[in-house]
């Protein structure tokens, strides 16, 4: 084939972008630069004009503080797109920010996007269409637990089995991998958002205190836990008393918040246990050596690894920088595309399972 200088230049300057399109946060990784964007998946919209006013961190800071003609939305719920047009605008904004950081104009990028295991073909198509409409040259999809395993450095291409539990904002993904394929996977829509709602409901029922999701999230990260803390912690929480209608401050303990979170935590533990019940005994033996890897923002819940270790009788450990495991794993695809492209999800396939 004759040398084509135009194709050579496109290959030299083209962008390879990995995106973790998360319910809580969107992370963007550019090949050769690392993670360049890590912002909340929030968009502020003018109701009358249907135009975005703010995106990302700026939009999240507006939650609960907007006038009547402005609304703040999360276009991604439970790991899937609920507002297609808003998601497209958000992606265009983030990809545009990547282009702004470049010295020279760049052609449209190749994009790898992580998505939950349990999404339907329609939901996969919505993600694909949103990425293409936002200016991508090529959109590629990868299951989040596989990306998380790659990002955590698990030996997914070896004969030995490994297991990853990716706890995000909207979904928890459980996957057992061996020989470059998924032996078994589970996806449930109980994760960080559900935990925040547990705290909101607990404070409402016990103290008649109404708080927003943002306050609940702060409580979760500061004193939330899945296992007894040494020492236990206290925190003052501000909200509105539902009886008097007046502002009120109450002091809550980590013991109380652990009780509030117990339902969601137990669902995750039971799902992991059920998955272990179905894997071959040879892989269970491997996991006794390798352990179970926790990834995603939910892995940062205090004492979660210890609680899982105690319940499952297997070593459970938290990946290095668990928040970025998915986007880093998706970016690895570009480093060895010929060998790792098998992990990509085809839209035409009826199943999202991969075999060696």
């Amino acid at each position: 084939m004759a040398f084509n200088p135009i194709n050579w230049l496109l290959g030299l300057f083209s962008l390879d972008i990995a995106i973790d399109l998360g319910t809580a946060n969107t992370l963007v990784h550019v090949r050769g630069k690392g993670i360049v964007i890590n912002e909340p998946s929030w968009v502020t919209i003018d109701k009358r004009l249907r135009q975005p006013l703010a995106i990302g961190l700026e939009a999240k800071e507006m939650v609960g503080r907007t006038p009547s003609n402005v609304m703040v939305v999360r276009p991604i719920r439970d790991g899937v797109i609920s507002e297609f047009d808003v998601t497209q605008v958000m992606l265009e904004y983030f990809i545009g920010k990547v282009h702004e950081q470049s010295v020279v104009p760049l052609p449209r990028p190749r994009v790898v996007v992580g998505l939950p295991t349990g999404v339907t073909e329609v939901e996969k198509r919505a993600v694909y269409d949103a990425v293409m409409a936002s200016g991508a040259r090529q959109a590629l999809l990868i299951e989040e637990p596989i990306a998380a395993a790659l990002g955590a450095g698990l030996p997914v291409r070896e004969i030995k089995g490994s297991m990853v539990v990716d706890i995000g904002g909207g979904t928890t993904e459980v996957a057992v991998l061996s020989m470059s394929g998924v032996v078994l996977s589970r996806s449930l829509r109980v994760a960080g958002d559900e935990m925040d709602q547990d705290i909101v409901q607990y404070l409402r029922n016990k103290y008649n205190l109404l708080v927003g999701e943002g306050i609940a999230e702060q409580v979760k990260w500061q004193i939330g836990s899945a296992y007894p803390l040494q020492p236990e912690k206290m925190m003052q929480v501000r909200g509105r008393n539902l009886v008097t209608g007046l502002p009120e401050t109450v002091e809550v303990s980590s013991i109380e918040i652990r009780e509030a979170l117990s339902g969601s935590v137990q669902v995750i533990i039971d799902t992991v246990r059920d998955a272990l019940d179905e894997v071959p005994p040879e892989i269970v033996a491997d996991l006794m050596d390798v352990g179970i890897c926790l990834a995603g923002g939910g892995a940062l819940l205090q004492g979660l690894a210890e609680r899982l270790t105690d319940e499952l009788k297997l070593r459970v450990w938290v990946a290095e920088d668990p928040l970025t495991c998915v986007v880093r794993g998706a970016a690895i695809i570009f480093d060895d595309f010929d060998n790792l492209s098998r992990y990509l999800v085809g839209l035409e396939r009826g199943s999202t399972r991969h075999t060696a």
Side-chain angles (χ1 to χ4, degrees):
M1 182 181 294
F3 174 73
N4 187 325
I6 296 178
N7 288 340
W8 179 80
L9 285 172
L10 284 173
L12 184 63
F13 293 109
S14 65
L15 277 178
D16 286 333
I17 297 177
I19 299 178
D20 177 8
L21 196 60
T23 302
N25 295 284
T26 296
L27 289 84
V28 179
H29 182 290
V30 177
R31 188 180 181 190
K33 292 183 179 180
I35 297 172
V36 297
I37 293 172
N38 182 356
E39 294 198 33
S41 302
W42 290 83
V43 179
T44 305
I45 297 175
D46 186 310
K47 291 181 181 178
R48 290 191 294 254
L49 302 177
R50 292 298 297 176
Q51 291 182 347
L53 301 176
I55 296 172
L57 183 59
E58 185 182 357
K60 185 176 181 180
E61 290 175 346
M62 297 179 183
V63 175
R65 301 180 175 94
T66 58
S68 59
N69 65 309
V70 175
M71 63 178 179
V72 186
V73 300
R74 300 176 73 178
I76 301 163
R77 286 283 182 180
D78 297 329
V80 297
I81 292 176
S82 58
E83 298 276 353
F84 179 83
D85 293 339
V86 179
T87 303
Q88 179 183 328
V89 168
M90 186 175 72
L91 285 170
E92 287 176 353
Y93 171 76
F94 289 139
I95 292 176
K97 285 186 70 173
V98 171
H99 281 273
E100 287 174 6
Q101 296 170 9
S102 302
V103 179
V104 296
L106 296 170
R108 294 190 301 164
R110 286 191 304 174
V111 179
V112 171
V113 184
L115 74 167
T117 308
V119 298
T120 65
E121 293 294 314
V122 172
E123 291 166 339
K124 281 190 284 183
R125 173 59 66 179
V127 174
Y128 175 87
D129 290 344
V131 174
M132 292 299 292
S134 65
R137 173 173 96 251
Q138 184 180 14
L140 309 165
L141 309 179
I142 184 172
E143 293 175 350
E144 285 179 355
I146 296 176
L150 290 170
L154 292 178
V156 295
R157 285 187 276 184
E158 296 181 8
I159 297 176
K160 180 174 288 189
S162 55
M163 186 173 191
V164 63
V165 180
D166 177 27
I167 308 171
T171 60
T172 294
E173 308 287 325
V174 180
V176 178
L177 305 103
S178 178
M179 297 175 60
S180 298
V182 175
V183 177
L184 180 143
S185 65
R186 293 283 183 275
S187 179
L188 66 152
R189 295 184 177 181
V190 175
D193 287 351
E194 191 76 16
M195 294 180 189
D196 295 343
Q197 287 299 321
D198 289 342
I199 294 173
V200 170
Q201 198 62 42
Y202 183 88
L203 295 175
R204 185 186 186 109
N205 293 340
K206 184 167 184 178
Y207 294 104
N208 287 318
L209 189 73
L210 180 64
V211 300
E213 292 181 7
I215 297 295
E217 187 179 22
Q218 291 178 24
V219 172
K220 178 179 67 178
W221 293 131
Q222 290 188 35
I223 64 172
S225 66
Y227 205 71
L229 302 178
Q230 298 295 334
E232 299 289 352
K233 301 177 181 179
M234 302 291 293
M235 180 180 177
Q236 289 189 335
V237 181
R238 297 173 180 176
R240 187 174 79 240
N241 188 295
L242 291 169
V243 177
T244 65
L246 300 175
E248 185 178 0
T249 299
V250 300
E251 192 169 47
V252 296
S253 69
S254 55
I255 297 173
E256 292 175 290
I257 302 305
R258 186 163 58 251
E259 179 186 344
L261 297 174
S262 61
S264 293
V265 170
Q266 192 60 53
V267 169
I268 294 172
I269 292 171
D270 291 343
T271 301
V272 177
R273 182 185 286 115
D274 291 344
L276 286 171
D277 284 344
E278 296 187 28
V279 299
E282 290 81 6
I283 290 182
V284 174
D286 293 337
L287 295 177
M288 294 178 73
D289 294 328
V290 179
I292 299 173
C293 174
L294 292 183
L300 297 173
L301 181 67
Q302 299 175 81
L304 181 59
E306 291 85 348
R307 173 76 181 276
L308 282 162
T309 297
D310 187 54
E311 294 258 0
L312 304 174
K313 311 305 179 187
L314 286 171
R315 181 175 69 92
V316 180
W317 51 280
V318 179
E320 182 180 353
D321 197 5
L323 278 167
T324 66
C325 275
V326 170
V327 74
R328 287 187 288 111
I332 289 173
I333 296 293
F334 293 121
D335 295 335
D336 189 9
F337 192 83
D338 291 340
N339 291 323
L340 296 179
S341 59
R342 72 181 70 187
Y343 296 125
L344 298 174
V345 179
L347 289 172
E348 72 282 355
R349 298 181 197 172
S351 170
T352 58
R353 299 202 173 201
H354 298 258
T355 56

